[in-house]
Amino acid sequence: MKSRYRIAALLLLAGMLLACLPVLFSAQQARKQAIRERFAQLDDTAAHLERQVRDTASLLRQLRQQMHARSDDPCSAEGVALMQRFVMSSQIVKSAMFLDGTRVLCSSNSAVTNNLLLGPPPVVQPDGTLIHSQVRIRGVAQRQYVLLVKDGYGLLAYPDGLIAPFSRPNVSMGLFSTHTGAWLARYGHLQEAWAAANGPAAGQAHYLDMDSGYMVVRRVVPPGTTGTVVASPLASIDTRVSQFAHWFLPAGVLAGLVVLGAAWLISRRQLSARAELLHAINKGHLFLLYQPVFDLVDDTCVGAEALLRWQHEDGKVVTPDLFIPFAEDAGLIHLVSRRVLELVVKDLSGFLRQHPGFHISVNLSPQDLQSPRTPRLLAEMQAAIGPGCGRFVVEATERGLLERTSALEVLLAIRGLGIELAVDDFGTGYSSLSYLTTYPFDILKIDKSFTHTACTESVTSSVADHIIDLARSLGMRTLVEGIETREQATFFRQRGVRYGQGYLFSKPLGAAELFAFVPAHSRPDQHARPAPVGPLPRRRPTPD
């Protein structure tokens, strides 16, 4: 009897071991698939970073072209002013300058160039561009800069600004000199060996560093003086491995239930939050407030910005900065955006039919700017309200413009509907002049952080002036956010800014409040003229 139990126990043990074989095989295949997918994601980030490096190099070419187009001395007052405006168009450029050899003759910021420490001799690129790496500014010990020089014109760039737009948890990245192996900019955990010319990652597009437990993508940016590294810990793929394992595990294997149980425990909180947001969308817990927009010249209300809110079941009102990032990660952002447009139709159809010239702006997420569904949803909104009823504006942030081809196609399709485009919060991120020249924006919005410092002695007090000049040179209108005092409104009106919004004029209002507010702050028949129907004309730069 004991022998029978012993044999049964051995058979049971053997069966359990055999049942583990497909689990082990599936786990191995799942891990390989997760590694391939993670490398593809790192490749995508590396491609964006490489594009940023190339765009920075093109800034020097743009500076030279603009300066050569002028007939006066580069160091004239007009030449220095042009260099100052050029620097203001990019958050990664510290200073533009004109040099004789290594001697700076003039620059956009003499306080910086007077304390410039060039460091080692420059690297000469095939096109003649000199690259001074490890450049420092006297008194700023913690930062290194890169100086690009050609034909006497130079740009002092802050390399960390190149990688900041792509920084995220579990991803490390950096720029390095292929000649010295030194890091020019870095974020997160990076090994010195990954940048070394004779290091283990050299010559390999994909490298698994088992000693440090990292997946590494290493690229050399043409013409070959700068390289990029993007890395992620192997541990970051564990959740994805579990998901792939579900696809490979044969049905009925007991171990599959264990994996599913573990995945359920890990994802319980995420799924619960996703279900809660989905419930809020379906049950109408999302609603809009409207922030009036005023004409600064005659102090009348010309439009409003639709602001999304979530009325939680506990009565608390949640602002979009707390749930929109989660909606993007959870794959629900398109449902949220669709609901916003449905709410505009529900709230404002009757009002816009009576006031067809009234402006309404809506905010779209970066994912919306990549989706061909977005123009269709906007067209459905226009059709539901009625042709020519309402002048619509779509606001987009620079984060949504990284995928240039798809974003440009979507933005052009939106303008084809007669809807204007505004770039929101310009100057707060790593802004690029190329965004404003590539995309067909009509309106540039100045962030409230610059509004608050415009009338002060702050070091950023002149930023608003430069942004206004930049918008005017590109033929764009300017709208100022966060106006809270009459002094601020006067400041921007005197500088030619036409539109503004903020608590000086009104707090965000409900739809019924807006309907009562607009007639009291508008001229008779101010909004009676129907909006144009059809594609908008191409914007034209304003002559100097």
Side-chain angles (χ1 to χ4, degrees), residues 97-113:
M97 61 193 73
F98 183 66
L99 305 93
D100 181 9
T102 59
R103 186 167 63 94
V104 179
L105 300 181
C106 59
S107 72
S108 62
N109 190 336
S110 59
V112 170
T113 51

Side-chain angles (χ1 to χ4, degrees), residues 87 90 92-96 108-109 112 137 143 145 156-158:
V87 169
S90 174
I92 64 173
V93 176
K94 184 73 173 178
S95 180
S108 62
N109 190 336
V112 170
I137 298 174
R143 287 188 175 182
Y145 299 83
L156 184 67
Y158 179 44

